[in-house]
Amino acid sequence: MKLPEKKLDPKIIAFDLDDTLLNGDLVITPATVDAIRKAASRGIYIVLCSGRAENAILKYVRLLDIAGTQAGRYIIALNGAVVYDMHKRLVVYSRKVDGDVLLYAYREAQKYGLAGEVYNPSTILVPEDNEWTRIDAELSGLKLQVVDDFPALLNQGHSKMVIPGKPEVLRILEKKLKEELGASAVIFTSKPYFLEIMPPECGKGESLLWLAGELGIAQNKTMAFGDSMNDESMIRMAQYSVAMSNGLEYIRNIASYVTRRTNNEDGIADFLESFVL
C-alpha cells in the first residue's frame, strides 16, 4: 500500500466521480461530504472532474454545498474537454475533436454494429435509441435525443464522442482506431462498455493543470483522485496523485498513493482526514 509519510499540502484537489467519489449507489456519503467541506473551508479548491457533461455533474456539486464559494466554483466535464465556471455560468476552457475524425470513428464503429454519442450540457445526442445509450442516460441522468442526420452533427466537431457496446468488441475497435487515427485523437475506455474519442493532448490532467495555472497554483500543489483509464492523465500529472484501492491495477501502479479503503468504504474521506486535514 502506497501511503504518504507526512501531511500533504494541496491547494487544488480534483475528484473523479464514478467508482471514486461516488459509491456503488452513485451517492457521496456523509463522511466524504464532511471531509471535502472541511478542505474547502481551508481554501483548497475542490474540482469535480468527470466524463459526464456539465449538468450531470452539478447535482453532486449541490450536494457538497460549496458551489457558492470561491473554492467550489469550477468543474471539469467531458473528461477534461470542458472547464466550467459556475459563478459566471460560462465555459472557460474547451477542446474539440475535429469533425472528420469523429466521422471516421463513427463509420468504423458502424462496421461492428455500434453507434456513437455526443453531448451538450443537458442531453446525449444519438443516432438511435438502444440498450447502450439508455445505460449512459441512466448513469448520467441526462435526457436522450435521437438525431436524424447524425453524421452532419458529428461534422461540426465535438468535445468527445462515446461509442458504447460490448467490451470484447470495443477492445478490437479501440486497437484499430488507435492505429489509424494516431495523434489526431485520444482514445481509451472509461468503463469497459464505453469507448471514448477525445481531442488530441486533452484529458483531465491537462485541464486540471490549466485551471491550476489560471488560479496561480503551482503543479506541486495539485492533487487528484481517480480509478480508471479516463483518470490516467491527471494521475500522471498531479503532484499528489491518489488511486482508489478499488481502481484498475494500472492506475494504482502509476499513482503516488493508493487509498486504504474503497469507494464503498469512504476511501476519500479516510485519506483526506488522515493525510491532508
Side-chain angles (χ1 to χ4, degrees):
M1 186 69 71
K2 298 188 286 186
L3 295 170
E5 296 180 355
K6 60 182 180 180
K7 181 181 176 182
L8 307 179
D9 184 33
K11 301 302 181 186
I12 186 169
I13 308 176
F15 297 93
D16 169 56
L17 287 183
D18 293 295
D19 302 312
T20 300
L21 188 62
L22 307 183
N23 65 14
D25 296 322
L26 302 182
V27 169
I28 309 176
T29 63
T32 300
V33 169
D34 182 60
I36 289 176
R37 285 178 180 170
K38 285 180 184 177
S41 72
R42 298 183 185 187
I44 300 172
Y45 281 87
I46 302 299
V47 184
L48 302 195
C49 189
S50 174
R52 299 169 184 236
E54 295 98 303
N55 285 9
I57 301 173
L58 290 177
K59 61 182 179 181
Y60 298 111
V61 177
R62 295 188 188 104
L63 178 62
L64 294 174
D65 195 27
I66 59 171
T69 69
Q70 185 69 13
R73 70 184 288 179
Y74 298 100
I75 58 175
I76 294 174
L78 298 174
N79 281 328
V82 168
V83 179
Y84 186 75
D85 183 334
M86 291 177 287
H87 289 191
K88 294 181 179 180
R89 298 186 179 183
L90 287 175
V91 171
V92 292
Y93 169 100
S94 67
R95 296 289 184 270
K96 286 188 175 183
V97 189
D98 288 343
D100 58 343
V101 173
L102 293 179
L103 280 169
Y104 180 83
Y106 175 60
R107 297 300 189 199
E108 290 301 308
Q110 286 184 305
K111 295 177 183 178
Y112 293 85
L114 303 172
E117 308 173 355
V118 293
Y119 302 79
N120 65 33
S122 61
T123 309
I124 305 171
L125 305 165
V126 297
E128 61 186 64
D129 182 355
N130 61 40
E131 61 175 313
W132 297 106
T133 58
R134 285 193 292 275
I135 287 173
D136 197 359
E138 289 167 6
L139 283 172
S140 66
L142 298 177
K143 61 184 179 181
L144 278 176
Q145 180 181 332
V146 176
V147 177
D148 291 334
D149 193 346
F150 194 68
L153 176 66
L154 291 184
N155 199 44
Q156 299 171 17
H158 293 271
S159 297
K160 75 169 185 174
M161 179 171 72
V162 169
I163 301 170
K166 293 181 179 179
E168 60 271 22
V169 179
L170 292 183
R171 284 194 292 269
I172 298 169
L173 179 61
E174 178 181 9
K175 183 176 185 293
K176 180 177 174 57
L177 291 179
K178 282 182 174 180
E179 291 172 351
E180 296 176 355
L181 292 177
S184 60
V186 174
I187 301 169
F188 55 83
T189 51
S190 53
K191 289 184 178 291
Y193 43 84
F194 287 156
L195 179 62
E196 309 228 0
I197 314 297
M198 293 284 299
E201 298 180 3
C202 179
K204 292 180 178 181
E206 287 86 348
S207 55
L208 171 61
L209 293 191
W210 177 87
L211 178 58
E214 290 294 299
L215 297 172
I217 297 171
Q219 184 273 343
N220 65 4
K221 296 295 183 181
T222 60
M223 176 178 278
F225 288 82
D227 73 290
S228 194
M229 291 308 297
N230 60 329
D231 304 315
E232 179 184 7
S233 65
M234 70 175 182
I235 292 296
R236 288 192 178 280
M237 294 180 177
Q239 178 71 20
Y240 307 125
S241 58
V242 188
M244 302 303 294
S245 60
N246 55 279
L248 296 178
E249 181 181 9
Y250 174 78
I251 297 298
R252 298 198 310 271
N253 287 340
I254 66 172
S256 301
Y257 311 110
V258 178
T259 62
R260 292 181 290 201
R261 301 178 184 176
T262 71
N263 66 311
N264 287 319
E265 301 167 325
D266 290 318
I268 285 176
D270 174 67
F271 191 94
L272 291 178
E273 293 284 2
S274 300
F275 304 112
V276 176
L277 301 173

